């Protein structure tokens, strides 16, 4: 059992501090990964450890008193946590969106909703619910899937179609409600990412004040690189990259310990996987760096070339698919010893398989990027930061 010193009480103020705390927590998460998977949610003390790293506060802007990590720095933090446990990193990635959502709320409203910067948000953004327009806000009802981290969240954000007097308005909105107004359904029995606790949840006739709603086309409480419509997708590849790095290190160390450093098959497989990993990782960070250069200089996503803009969702998809491919090859390399549950390869195989079912890793992303490059109509324009129409 890895022993870790209690994290400092003082909240981290810089990207380097948050990253260092995430790296220090990773061995603890690795030791507890089987326990987390069996529980099918994060234990309360693991959530507290995550809060202590500062991961939930990293998206808050300096105007809100936050550290305002760049999307590159956020991805590095998620990658470090995923090196320990994929399910925990997935929850951290989702929960850290709280500060990002703050840019789409009025500043004073966000200050009131989030008295602590270490509050986690969960929820499904697709409009599966029904929001009836009423004086001062909305009455929200619905059932949503994939509420990653909903078992420990402070706020839950959910997409819903608008209705007025029972008739559809043919538009949708995102609504934020306190966790106390949400019923969690124990539905998360899955192939992998079990520890993320991505349960279904319901909300029944809950009043949501208009000021607690947002749309990604309307930035109300911020500006700059993080106040962009697709910002919540940027750090997602960190989970896939962190798991892949962990699997590569594990198999490499095991091969050396077993005296297989001169085995041809082992050498070529490790080298091939390292090459694919390096290319996928650079694809993610290269696309993020170029985006950051444009946005920090005062530009917009429209100032990216079509190829640069398409590189963002394509690099995400490629990272997820490459993670699964590499872990599968390593699983085959290790052969029979990989099939026993004590081997982390079993869990990593199932985790990467499950995360590849997310929309960001699906062929819909290929169509979206291809349509953007050709001047057509993308199926999932938000992946490109487009909130309406063609490119």
């Amino acid at each position: 059992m890895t022993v870790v010193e209690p994290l400092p009480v003082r909240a981290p103020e810089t990207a380097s501090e948050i990253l260092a705390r995430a790296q220090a927590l990773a061995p603890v998460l690795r030791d507890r990964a089987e326990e987390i998977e069996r529980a099918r949610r994060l234990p309360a003390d693991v959530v507290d450890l995550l809060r202590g790293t500062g991961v939930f506060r990293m998206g808050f802007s300096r105007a809100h008193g936050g550290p305002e990590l760049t999307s590159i720095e956020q991805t590095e933090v998620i990658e470090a946590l995923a090196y320990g446990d994929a399910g925990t990193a997935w929850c951290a990635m989702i929960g850290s969106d709280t500060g990002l959502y703050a840019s789409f709320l009025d500043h004073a409203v966000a200050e009131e909703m989030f008295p602590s910067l270490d509050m986690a948000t969960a929820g499904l953004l697709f409009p599966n619910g029904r929001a009836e327009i009423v004086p001062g806000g909305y009455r929200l009802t619905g059932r949503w899937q994939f509420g990653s981290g909903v078992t420990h969240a402070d706020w839950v954000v959910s997409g819903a179609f608008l209705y007025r007097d029972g008739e559809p308005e043919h538009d949708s909105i995102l609504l934020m409600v306190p966790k106390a107004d949400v019923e969690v359904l124990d539905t998360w029995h899955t192939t992998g990412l079990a520890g993320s606790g991505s349960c279904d949840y319901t909300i029944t006739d809950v009043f949501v004040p208009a000021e607690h709603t947002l749309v990604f086309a309307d930035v109300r409480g911020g500006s700059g690189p993080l106040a962009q419509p697709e910002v919540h997708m940027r750090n997602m590849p960190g989970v896939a990259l962190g798991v892949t790095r962990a699997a590569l290190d594990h198999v490499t160390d095991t091969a050396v310990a077993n005296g297989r450093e001169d085995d041809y098959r082992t050498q070529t497989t490790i080298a091939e996987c390292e090459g694919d990993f390096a290319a996928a990782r650079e694809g993610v960070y290269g696309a993020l760096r170029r985006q950051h250069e444009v946005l920090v200089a005062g530009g917009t996503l429209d100032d990216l070339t079509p190829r640069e803009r398409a590189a963002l969702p394509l690099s995400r998809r490629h990272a997820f698919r490459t993670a699964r491919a590499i872990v599968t090859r390593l699983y085959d390399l290790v052969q029979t010893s990989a099939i026993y549950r004590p081997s982390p390869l079993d869990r990593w195989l199932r985790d990467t398989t499950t995360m590849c079912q997310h929309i960001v890793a699906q062929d819909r992303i290929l169509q979206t990027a291809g349509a953007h490059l050709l001047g057509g109509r993308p199926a999932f324009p938000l992946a490109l930061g487009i909130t309406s129409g063609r490119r």
Side-chain angles (χ1 to χ4, degrees), residues 32 50 67 97 121 128 148 170 181 235 263 276 288 340 373-374 381 390:
R32 299 188 61 181
L50 274 183
D97 288 342
T121 298
N128 286 6
S148 303
H170 305 293
D181 292 332
N235 61 22
D263 176 72
D276 288 350
L288 288 174
Y340 294 99
L373 292 169
L374 294 168
R390 294 172 181 259

Side-chain angles (χ1 to χ4, degrees), residues 316-389:
R316 281 193 293 267
R317 180 187 182 277
H318 185 63
F320 278 84
R321 293 297 185 98
T322 301
R324 180 173 64 181
I326 289 175
V327 171
T328 300
R329 274 179 279 169
L330 295 174
Y331 189 89
D332 289 343
L333 174 66
V334 174
Q335 300 180 50
T336 54
S337 64
I339 69 175
Y340 294 99
R341 285 295 178 93
S343 168
L345 281 169
D346 171 77
R347 183 171 59 256
W348 290 327
L349 183 68
R350 290 182 286 106
D351 286 343
T352 54
T353 297
T354 298
M355 67 179 71
C356 278
Q357 308 316 307
H358 194 281
I359 187 173
V360 300
Q362 292 297 303
D363 288 347
R364 193 174 177 186
I365 297 300
L366 294 179
Q367 185 280 332
T368 293
H372 183 66
L373 292 169
L374 294 168
R377 188 177 299 279
F380 186 32
L382 187 59
L384 296 159
I386 298 172
T387 53
S388 63

Side-chain angles (χ1 to χ4, degrees), residues 156-290:
V156 177
V157 59
S158 306
F161 285 109
L162 295 178
Y163 283 75
R164 187 186 300 274
D165 298 325
E167 296 297 323
E169 289 275 291
H170 305 293
D171 204 355
S172 64
I173 197 169
L174 298 173
L175 306 96
M176 299 192 72
V177 303
K179 166 66 182 310
D181 292 332
V182 175
E183 180 183 359
V184 177
L185 307 177
D186 188 14
T187 56
W188 193 240
H189 300 269
T190 59
T191 301
L193 286 180
S196 67
S198 304
C199 298
D200 290 15
Y201 63 93
T202 61
I203 298 173
T204 305
D205 195 32
V206 170
F207 175 73
V208 183
E211 59 267 25
H212 289 186
T213 68
L214 61 133
V215 291
F216 289 126
D218 184 13
V219 178
R220 289 185 276 168
S223 60
L226 296 185
Q228 306 291 330
E230 43 59 80
V231 65
H232 58 288
M233 301 181 199
R234 295 180 195 166
N235 61 22
M236 294 184 72
V239 183
L241 294 174
V243 172
T244 309
R245 183 70 265 166
L248 274 164
D249 288 353
H250 171 76
V251 173
T252 300
D253 292 345
T254 301
V256 172
N258 292 339
R260 298 184 62 81
E261 62 268 27
D262 289 323
D263 176 72
Y264 179 83
R265 179 169 179 256
T266 301
Q267 291 170 339
T268 55
T269 301
I270 291 294
E272 183 181 43
C273 290
E274 284 285 359
D276 288 350
F277 174 75
R281 190 174 190 273
E282 178 55 31
V284 168
Y285 283 103
L288 288 174
R289 282 194 297 269
R290 178 57 187 150

Side-chain angles (χ1 to χ4, degrees), residues 53-136:
T53 67
V55 66
F56 293 143
R57 66 172 47 217
M58 64 182 182
F60 276 100
S61 69
R62 292 185 181 89
H64 283 284
E68 196 174 329
L69 271 63
T70 68
S71 296
I72 297 165
E73 292 165 337
Q74 292 178 36
T75 306
E76 291 172 337
V77 171
I78 300 303
E79 192 176 2
L81 292 169
Y83 192 83
D85 177 59
T88 304
W90 194 272
C91 286
M93 176 266 294
I94 297 292
S96 68
D97 288 342
T98 306
L100 304 179
Y101 294 139
S103 294
F104 300 91
L105 301 166
D106 289 336
H107 185 88
V109 172
E111 294 276 293
E112 180 184 358
M113 291 174 66
F114 313 127
S116 166
L117 300 183
D118 297 309
M119 301 176 75
T121 298
L124 182 71
L125 304 185
F126 289 104
N128 286 6
R130 174 177 177 143
E132 182 73 27
I133 300 170
V134 297

